[in-house]
Amino acid sequence: MELWSESWTSGDSIPERYAAGRLLPDGSAVFADNLNPHLAWSGLPVGARSMVLICHDFDVPLDASDVNRPDRELAAELPRADFFHWVLIDLPPRPTVIAEGEFSRGFVPHGKPGPQTAQGARQGLNDYTRWFAGDPALAGPYFGYDGPFPPCNDSLVHHYVFTLYALDVARLPLEGAFDGHQVRAALARHVLGEATFSGTYTLNPRLRPPAAA
């Protein structure tokens, strides 16, 4: 299997329009266009009946106490954990494409609805659900895609990995709201093939690429 995008080259910096957060000229951060990127795949294994797409950032600090503090940077060696940005299941193998903006256009306070979504698929909860849980202005169930919004003071450029799985079942045995951990567990014994596509993103002005889109 192969997974690719017209939006950027795998491993390169993610254009700003696919992020949930962007920098203003004064160095503060605001919500961005938050479009889901274009993705396409080929080389489906024989017997593929559905697809699962997971996007996660494996560079999120476990301790958030110093996140976005202007007087210090988060050390690169801090303990890090996975943060799920997109969990999509029961996606038909064909058409072999997800269009830019098909699943997400803009950041929605309190979260987009789910689990039912485009192409007859179901979308799970992303980790902004727990990140904003204590903020009355933003708390809610965040279904579907919400892109990068890493800490502005992180000394580590964050990595975002899109993993596409081809499954031998048409529907995963999950009901109601589900998250990335539950989907990973449900994949056991059903994966016929997988492919990855990745990108990087930072909001640290010191680390921003000179010509970030």
Side-chain angles (χ1 to χ4, degrees):
M1 280 176 57
E2 183 180 4
L3 178 66
W4 74 91
S5 177
E6 295 174 349
S7 304
W8 71 88
T9 301
S10 187
D12 286 354
S13 178
I14 297 174
E16 187 178 86
R17 65 184 180 275
Y18 306 116
R22 64 183 179 90
L23 279 180
L24 294 177
D26 64 4
S28 60
V30 295
F31 291 117
D33 292 343
N34 199 43
L35 297 172
N36 72 265
H38 163 276
L39 292 168
W41 55 93
S42 62
L44 285 171
V46 175
R49 299 181 64 195
S50 71
M51 314 297 286
V52 165
L53 180 66
I54 295 175
C55 174
H56 79 286
D57 168 10
F58 55 77
D59 292 316
V60 174
L62 278 173
D63 182 356
S65 57
D66 286 336
V67 164
N68 293 331
R69 289 187 56 169
D71 60 334
R72 66 191 64 185
E73 278 196 351
L74 302 176
E77 60 269 18
L78 284 175
R80 308 279 172 158
D82 285 348
F83 186 106
F84 292 96
H85 285 268
W86 199 5
V87 182
L88 188 62
I89 71 171
D90 303 343
L91 185 69
R94 295 178 177 81
T96 59
V97 65
I98 290 172
E100 178 181 299
E102 182 177 3
F103 290 85
S104 177
R105 288 184 173 272
F107 190 88
V108 180
H110 310 295
K112 293 184 287 293
Q116 298 301 319
T117 188
Q119 297 195 27
R122 290 185 291 158
Q123 53 192 3
L125 295 169
N126 66 54
D127 278 337
Y128 287 109
T129 302
R130 60 180 176 82
W131 188 263
F132 292 132
D135 184 343
L138 293 169
Y142 282 77
F143 286 94
Y145 178 81
D146 286 304
F149 201 150
C152 298
N153 65 332
D154 204 338
S155 63
L156 197 66
V157 174
H158 285 223
H159 295 77
Y160 301 83
V161 181
F162 295 79
T163 306
L164 183 72
Y165 302 90
L167 306 187
D168 63 1
V169 292
R171 178 183 170 90
L172 275 182
L174 294 169
E175 301 300 332
F178 50 86
D179 62 22
H181 297 287
Q182 291 170 302
V183 170
R184 279 181 172 172
L187 289 176
R189 300 185 301 279
H190 293 299
V191 177
L192 298 173
E194 64 183 84
T196 61
F197 179 83
S198 68
T200 63
Y201 196 74
T202 179
L203 289 178
N204 186 331
R206 183 176 64 81
L207 302 176
R208 293 277 287 177

